[in-house]
Amino acid sequence: MTDPLAEVVTLLQPQAALSKVVSGGGAWRVRRPPGDRPFYCVVLEGAVRLQVQGREAVELAPDDFVLIPALSGFVLSGGEPAADDGPDPDAATVRDGEVRHGDPDAPANLRALVGHLSFGAPDAALLVSLLPQLVHVRGDPRLGAIVRLVGEEARHRRPAREIVLARLLEVMLIEALRSSSGTAASPGLLRCLADARLAAAVRRLHEQPARHWTVASMAQEAALSRSAFYERFNRAMGVAPMEYLLSWRMALAKNFLRQGREGLAAIAERVGYGSANAFSAAFTRFVGAAPTHYLRALGAPRDSGAPPTEAPRRSSALAAARPPIPPLDI
């Protein structure tokens, strides 16, 4: 049986994490502006308060795991409010390979492993838009063990390090996402898969993307009326059924194009279009560039040294393209 979540994570191509151990002492605070880097944090000792822009604050305890697939602005803080003449809560020092926030001489009230992921897929923004805005897993020792393995592997130059990291990151993402699935999740693929009726339809979409789908045929797979399915899907996924199908078809098409094993006619057939011309027209409307131009842009670094360009269609299912990922700065 097709696993939509595994397919999305595989297409995202998670790459080696930038990670470090951080601690807090006394009153401390870390403020970061909105950005596009996927951020994760696992609390090893102590406690921390996480305030993500636009959401209620979350108190994190040991073994708690947080993942923000598309990073919003956030504040991490701990300790009692500092006195006016006390140490600067925004200060940071490095000691013994550990970044200390707040008072470097006070006992640590937090120790955590934090890091950023990078997604290798050029259309990562589209795929990330299908995931929850915030993933919070509480006290899951299995996930905590995986994250610590990621951190340990990232710190050492062992043979096959990149291959091991890529596999660990895929496992970490899947474990974090499925551990947080449920109807309480924010709109996206996880919340949709938590609904047994909707999950049946989504799995069928992923199994047969080339099928001539309509909202009525999707509703039939979910054993719901057309109107009930449309409303329920839209509420759970955050986008309309046909918009989700188009987004998924285009994600697959981009992957097939990058692989370079098939011509446009074959790709068109695999993603549900009757001809290469029909596929090319739909691709151009969605991406903002014809398939041949899309491939030429991706090949630009090898040919001219120019960065790859892509003009994504702005919609609720597709965010703007991502900038290069700078070093971890928390």
Side-chain angles (χ1 to χ4, degrees), residues 37-41 66-69 71 74 76 114-117 330:
R37 293 170 295 165
F39 170 80
Y40 69 87
C41 169
V66 165
L67 170 68
I68 309 175
L71 186 61
F74 72 90
L76 288 171
V114 301
H116 291 296
L117 304 177
I330 184 171

Side-chain angles (χ1 to χ4, degrees), residues 4-5 7-15 35-39 67-72 117-135 173 177 186-191 236-239 244 247-248 251 254 286 315-323 325:
L5 177 58
E7 286 191 315
V8 169
V9 173
T10 299
L11 286 184
L12 274 171
Q13 301 173 36
Q15 296 174 351
D36 288 317
R37 293 170 295 165
F39 170 80
L67 170 68
I68 309 175
L71 186 61
S72 302
L117 304 177
S118 63
F119 295 139
D123 54 336
L126 185 155
L127 297 166
V128 167
S129 71
L130 304 177
L131 303 179
Q133 296 174 343
L134 174 67
V135 174
L173 274 178
L177 293 170
S186 56
L189 183 60
L190 291 183
R191 185 167 166 181
M237 188 70 80
V239 296
Y244 176 79
S247 297
W248 181 242
K254 288 180 180 182
F286 187 88
S315 78
S316 57
L318 183 62
R322 294 176 175 272
I325 296 179

Side-chain angles (χ1 to χ4, degrees), residues 21-25 28 30 93 98-102 108-112:
V21 175
V22 301
S23 63
W28 60 272
V30 177
T93 55
E98 183 175 288
V99 177
R100 166 58 69 90
H101 294 280
N109 51 38
L110 169 79
R111 185 164 282 108

